[in-house]
Amino acid sequence: MEQFLPVYDPKEIEQKWYEIWEGSGLFSGRPDRSAVRFCITIPPPNVTGTLHMGHALNLTIHDIVARYRRMMGDDVLIVPGTDHAGIATQVVVEKELAKEGKTRHDLGRDRFVERVWQWKNQYGGIITNQMRRLGCSFDWTRERFTMDPGYARAVLETFFRLWQDGLIYRGYRIVNWCPRCLTALSDLEVERSEEGEPGFLWFIRYPLQEPVNGRQFVTVATTRPETMLGDVAVAVHPRDLRYRDIVGRIAVLPLVGRLIPIVADDAVNPDFGTGAVKVTPAHDPADFEIADRHRLPKPLVMDERGVMINVPQRFVGRDRFAARDEVVKALEEAGLLEKTEEYRVPLGRCYRCQTVVEPLMSLQWFVKMQPLAADALQALRENKIRYLPDRFLRLTLDWLENVKDWCISRQIWWGHRIPVWYCIDCNQGKWEKKRYGGEERYHFFEDAKPFASLTTPKNCPDCGGSHLIQEADVLDTWFSSAIWPHAVLGWPDDSDDLKTYYPTDLMITDRGILHLWVARMIMTGVRFAGDIPFRVVLVHPTVLTREGKRMSKSLGTGIDPMDLVGHYGADGVRFGLIVQAEGSQDLRFHEERLEMARNFGKKLWNAARFVYSVLQSGPAASWKETVDRVATVAERWIRSRCRRTINFVHQCFANHDLAEGGKALYNFLWDEFCDWFVEISKPALSDDRLAPYYRSTLKMITDVSLRLLHPFMPFITEELWHRLGYPSDQEPYLLVASYPLLDLFQTDEEAEETMAFLTQLVRTVRAFKADLGMPTAIIPLVLAGDERQRKAVEENLWWLRFVGRWREVQWMPPGARLPHAFSESVNGAEVFFPLTDLGDVSKIRERLIKRLTELEKERDRTHSRLDNPQFLEKAPPQVVQTLKERLTELETAEQSLRARLTALEELTS
RNA sequence: GGGCGGUUAGCUCAGAGGGAGAGCGCCUGCCUUACAAGCAGGAGGGCGCAGGUUCAAGUCCUGCACCGCCCACCA
């Protein structure tokens, strides 16, 4: 056994153990072993990132579960990895370039992508090292990155199969466009605030070409007047009587002079604004559909940067917001602005850079979602995947039932380039060279014919020509993460890992990415890997600030978990976080909880130090000898309590209720083991007849406790386990030691009952002394009670005197009273304090009176319930019975309380 | 606009039909030979509001209020 360090220093032990563990290879999955498999693929964080509190909680849950299963003997595989996070990473590197006064276009595509790789190689390890610092026992030999060659192959394969199944198409649609990132975004990548953002609703008069029944113009309302330059119609509801006579007539588009029809369309809400709406197909999704229905053109009036194009000279080249002001001004000048109202505008913002997203018509790639959603829906309806809490299943079903096609193309450079090529020769007249974002490139029209290929083709499959141009766009990052579980296990190859570990057991995630990611994994898993990707989706709380706000770096409300690890140790952060993650409630993070966890660590350390010194001080009996003999009540009690704790913790793991499990261990170790058993063991250890057995019990309970706690606090438990000399050839590390099972100890009702009586006795005496201001005094006692109680006290007097600071105890028969003494009753037994001078008894009197009032209240309540004939008639007899017993108890307690009060008065008068 | 959560001690949260709980914080006393990041004792609650069901309601039902999340093209 090593020498024991005097103080607990997390820093010293955490790094050491992680290196030893990782070096031991015990984190690795072992398909060759015959064991129950347990596999999780972690949600890969962005390579660009550093860990935030949400990750810390997520990873802690992963690792607690992983360590538990490993100790239960399973073949555990937790696959870690990172996501290339297309836009996010590109934005970071672009910012770096900006500092050098460059843009990505200065470098060009290839050099820029190279630069991102450099950046990834330099900083990509930060976040995985942070996982290590947290203690995550993941299989780093299987670490994956979503742009690794193998993974890229899986991504392309997925695209290719979708292509072959006819689920990929290209076309003009209104997409969410970020004019800063210069790319399309999926609906899920756009953030919208609940109540919109402050803005205006402008009412614009569109003159009619010819007056109708005296009407000169039609007024439309809009929040985006600049888009009117691209209007192709005015629409009204077909049954709107106000406008019935102008439907089919022609209006003159102000500022432009274009003649546009007035059409009737169901999509118009007659109750909004004036009931007449301008139709701008290229810049509004609803208008796009109206235009389709009425065969109207779709002119673009804004380019990819949000700059006005194809508009009258006055507005050309203006930014969209400047153009807005200018259009309003021009309308005012023309006397066509009827009025302006303040209005909250529902705006979307880019989830990466917070720029206001522009609905913009552009040529994009889409996945037809319905067939994929159908696959997922079927699996979910067959209850193949359990959601915890299960309400999230409903949410997912709703989303899948209403899913819309997925825009998967992104106009950025960092990502998986879409494996589609165009033949220049076959597509004559269907392309042009175009400057795009400062870069010259081929632009293929909607009717150009591309082909998909898994490898870079040399020749056109149709004409054999070699003038091939690859699609410039890359795939949405979520396209590649959608295949994560099977792809990291080796798909599309039929690898050993895939065969062994797929479907995985758990998906542990925040609810924020339930659709963005989890639902899509189910779709691709079912379709391409032939089965659901995971059996259980565990949705954990979202970590909020203590005020209940979102944690975010930009708001300055984020907390760096690594700072916390520095302060409280990884064990402290893990434990402090997990006990806060109760239920499915969001978690308002309180650092005080980490303090609690750190204190717990120190408590554990000191308890172990005590056990260590005890084991040094003399021989321990074997465990067999210890249990085979007639043991003391305290030993039987701690074994019984320990068994209940083991049972409870297993249940908690089964229910994925880790907070409860952690708290149960905290309570067992602190309240029962440290506060009682360790104290009781002190006098036992100075008794030669008991010492060897108590050494043995302390050793055993400590061993079991460290095992139980290891998943939650891996470092300190491993360290203590070694310092106390528990490792063996079969169990070299606590990491792979067996998790305690129920058959280790037996429950012992009798011992628990006796101990409840004895500890209550001790507490009562302590409270009495505290009230008198003499807590450390050693006082004599006289007890009155039945034979069992007398026997219990006498057999345990050796420790009762120590922990309770009693002097001597005299015994009287039950019911007997010691005259001129104050008394308290405990479980029907009576404790007398034969003190000649009680001193100041005001506190005692106060307490007695308070308790009496409470008793009276409860007695009255109980009484009136028992007086109620309906209650007696309808309530289950058992309930009535226990209530009757309760009443008797209350009455006795009240009597003795009154007697005690009287005695107190007599004593002090 | 629709949907889903939440409202219990000063704070963060458990409790899901029959005697209101934990941690932290607070008060009092203790440097008791593992531990003052500790030990011992204690105070503190109309369980959001209003109805209803029931012998019995934090607990079930209805409505309302406030907080938070998700979804939706209402310009």
Side-chain angles (χ1 to χ4, degrees), chain A residues 33-321:
Chain A
R33 244 183 74 192
S34 88
V36 174
R37 311 297 172 183
F38 184 78
C39 179
I40 308 177
T41 59
I42 74 162
N46 296 354
V47 257
T48 54
T50 51
L51 244 40
H52 61 240
M53 292 306 293
H55 291 129
L57 174 65
N58 179 271
L59 293 164
T60 296
I61 295 170
H62 274 90
D63 195 52
I64 290 175
V65 173
R67 284 177 188 267
Y68 170 71
R69 301 303 295 244
R70 194 178 290 116
M71 290 177 76
M72 289 296 286
D74 292 3
D75 169 35
V76 171
L77 170 60
I78 313 296
V79 183
T82 46
D83 193 291
H84 69 280
I87 299 175
T89 307
Q90 174 153 333
V91 167
V92 171
V93 177
E94 277 179 315
K95 275 186 188 156
E96 211 179 60
L97 280 177
K99 282 183 203 151
E100 302 163 20
K102 291 187 204 155
T103 71
R104 63 171 150 136
H105 303 289
D106 294 332
L107 299 189
R109 183 165 191 146
D110 292 346
R111 278 178 58 211
F112 179 78
V113 168
E114 205 175 298
R115 176 87 186 233
V116 183
W117 272 108
Q118 270 174 24
W119 193 91
K120 186 264 170 187
N121 291 334
Q122 194 173 349
Y123 300 107
I126 291 179
I127 199 158
T128 49
N129 281 324
Q130 290 180 327
M131 294 183 200
R132 290 180 167 92
R133 277 189 72 193
L134 253 189
C136 297
S137 56
F138 300 163
D139 187 350
W140 299 104
T141 65
R142 286 179 170 84
E143 181 183 349
R144 302 300 295 267
F145 174 55
T146 53
M147 291 268 282
D148 283 343
Y151 199 96
R153 206 181 115 228
V155 172
L156 299 189
E157 178 80 28
T158 304
F159 182 92
F160 191 72
R161 292 200 191 180
L162 287 168
W163 174 279
Q164 285 183 316
D165 292 346
L167 299 182
I168 301 271
Y169 66 90
R170 180 176 184 246
Y172 276 105
R173 295 289 183 283
I174 300 286
V175 296
N176 305 292
W177 185 269
C178 176
R180 199 225 63 89
C181 299
L182 295 178
T183 180
L185 301 168
S186 74
D187 290 342
L188 297 174
E189 289 168 314
V190 177
E191 292 175 356
R192 295 176 193 279
S193 63
E194 183 72 9
E195 66 293 338
E197 301 188 23
F200 297 95
L201 193 57
W202 284 275
F203 290 77
I204 307 169
R205 290 177 173 173
Y206 284 22
L208 297 176
Q209 193 180 24
E210 290 164 9
V212 179
N213 298 334
R215 188 201 288 266
Q216 302 282 337
F217 50 82
V218 56
T219 304
V220 300
T222 180
T223 57
R224 295 192 302 155
E226 70 281 8
T227 62
M228 65 146 313
L229 302 172
D231 282 3
V232 295
V234 169
V236 299
H237 194 272
R239 283 194 298 279
D240 193 335
L241 298 177
R242 295 170 294 177
Y243 297 114
R244 177 163 282 182
D245 55 353
I246 60 166
V247 171
R249 304 301 179 101
I250 302 294
V252 183
L253 185 62
L255 312 184
V256 179
R258 186 158 60 230
L259 299 181
I260 57 177
I262 295 163
V263 300
D265 195 285
D266 285 329
V268 179
N269 174 4
D271 298 326
F272 186 90
T274 61
V277 58
K278 59 194 268 319
V279 178
T280 321
H283 299 276
D284 184 281
D287 294 0
F288 184 90
E289 288 173 21
I290 293 176
D292 270 348
R293 283 194 285 270
H294 298 272
R295 298 173 192 283
L296 297 163
K298 295 162 182 161
L300 271 166
V301 291
M302 220 180 272
D303 72 3
E304 69 276 3
R305 293 170 188 271
V307 170
M308 306 308 289
I309 51 170
N310 307 329
V311 292
Q313 200 51 45
R314 179 172 178 181
F315 310 105
V316 168
R318 287 185 189 262
D319 169 78
R320 52 187 170 152
F321 297 118

Side-chain angles (χ1 to χ4, degrees), chain A residues 595-616:
Chain A
E595 217 167 302
M596 174 275 285
R598 183 195 52 190
N599 294 351
F600 181 43
K602 181 166 186 186
K603 185 77 182 174
L604 198 66
W605 183 272
N606 286 316
R609 208 163 61 146
F610 171 78
V611 171
Y612 176 81
S613 71
V614 165
L615 294 181
Q616 295 290 334

